[in-house]
Amino acid sequence: MKDGQSQTKAAAVPDRDKQAAEIRSRAAGEASAWSWVEATVWTERMLTALENGVKGNVWFSLIDKVCSERNLWSSWAKVAANAGSAGVDHVTVQMYEQNVELNLTGLSEKLRREEYQPSAIRRVHIPKPGSSQTRPLGIPTVQDRVVQTALRHVLEPIFEKEFARHSYGFRPGRGCKDALRRVDELLKAGYTYVVDADLKSYFDTIPHGPLMERVRERVADGRALKLVEAFLTQGVMEGLSQWTPASGAPQGAVVSPLLSNIYLNPLDHLMEQSGWEMVRYADDFVILCQSEPQAREALERVRQWTAQAGLTLHPEKTRIVDARTEGFDFLGYHFEGGKKWPRKKSEQKLKDTIRIKTRRTSGRSLPCVIEDVNRTLRGWFEYFKHSVPTTFNCLDGWIRMRLRSILRKRQHKRGRGRGSDHRRWPNRYFAEMGLYSLVAAHRLACQSANKR
């Protein structure tokens, strides 16, 4: 099947289930909380059952929804849109698409006959921002990514219904900014004693047995459970070595974020029931308290829970701080004394990216360099625009220095752009060249906020 044909079919599948997509309204005319669910799976009848609750709060007969060709087509569309690298079979998204109709039909049959087996995950190591350390990343095959997406389409709404309000990571309609906004609100309300917690190698250490027990609390379809287990225990290949993991949910796998939230959900509810204000994004969380004794008690409860759950709090990175006089990092920001700015690693990551784009030996024209730099700056500012203003002054000056250094090199001069270079190429020169100014963007953002 040609590319255009496959894309048309993939896009058309959800439209055929328009009835399911249109149940997303309540009597008052508000959009349903389930507008994000996969329409090829979650029919009106299923969503009604989800809202009202099923017998025993356990779901049966789910594997047929995973196997559905309509679900697989929708899953394929998402995998294709995300692109990504090939797995251990070296099959790329483009290669899979060349025979996508046959691939998905055959995949559906294999799943129905219980003949499907996941391939090994290709493990690579990616650098941690602002650090010499690396983070392991698992790359499943394209076909495994399609099946995992189909499985997530079926399971996610079942568990999403029970997730705690203060959990923000890998959840529909929630994100980093929501978590950061909540931390801001709590700090301003006087919750200044902060348990800054760090789960050591969380994704690699989730115990498979207890995790599957949590999944079984809501899922009783043996074939669906078997599929979840197959993804947890699929082999890992790194170079010429291959092994089967005894624990963990591989980072990079489509279904891992959901499983990681399922495992930490009891901790979320424990904190909520105890009256502590927790803000969690995946395995990164803080607990905000109004006094130091409360913070110590909260930390002790977390220690007890993690020990029972087979997890480990990092002994050096887990601490209690008074946010009025000490700082803590969360989701890329540093909070301290009622203010926030990018943490050192976040700023270092930006500078590392800009350095690559502004090498003095680059043969590109200055307008091309500036256009490339601007793309990075716009995205970075959108996330860090709530930082203190001095953040942007310093970075703007550093970026202009990098550009002046390029111009010095082209005049056969050594060293960085400084001193008389500021008169030769003043700030106005770069503004006229179209360089994105973080200071100007921050000023405009503040004006827009004041007008609301």
Side-chain angles (χ1 to χ4, degrees), residues 370 373-378 380-382 385 389 391-397 399-400 403 427-428 430-445:
I370 288 175
V373 167
N374 284 352
R375 281 193 289 269
T376 297
L377 293 178
R378 287 192 182 97
W380 190 87
F381 177 78
E382 182 57 33
K385 62 185 176 184
T391 301
F392 309 114
N393 282 294
C394 295
L395 285 171
D396 271 351
I399 292 163
R400 287 191 295 264
L403 297 176
N427 295 353
R428 184 179 66 255
F430 297 105
E432 291 171 352
M433 292 285 287
L435 177 64
Y436 186 84
S437 167
L438 296 171
V439 169
H442 182 254
R443 188 181 302 119
L444 183 62

Side-chain angles (χ1 to χ4, degrees), residues 160-171:
E160 176 63 28
K161 183 183 178 184
E162 299 187 357
F163 286 158
R165 60 183 175 83
H166 60 251
S167 165
Y168 295 90
F170 308 118
R171 294 185 60 191

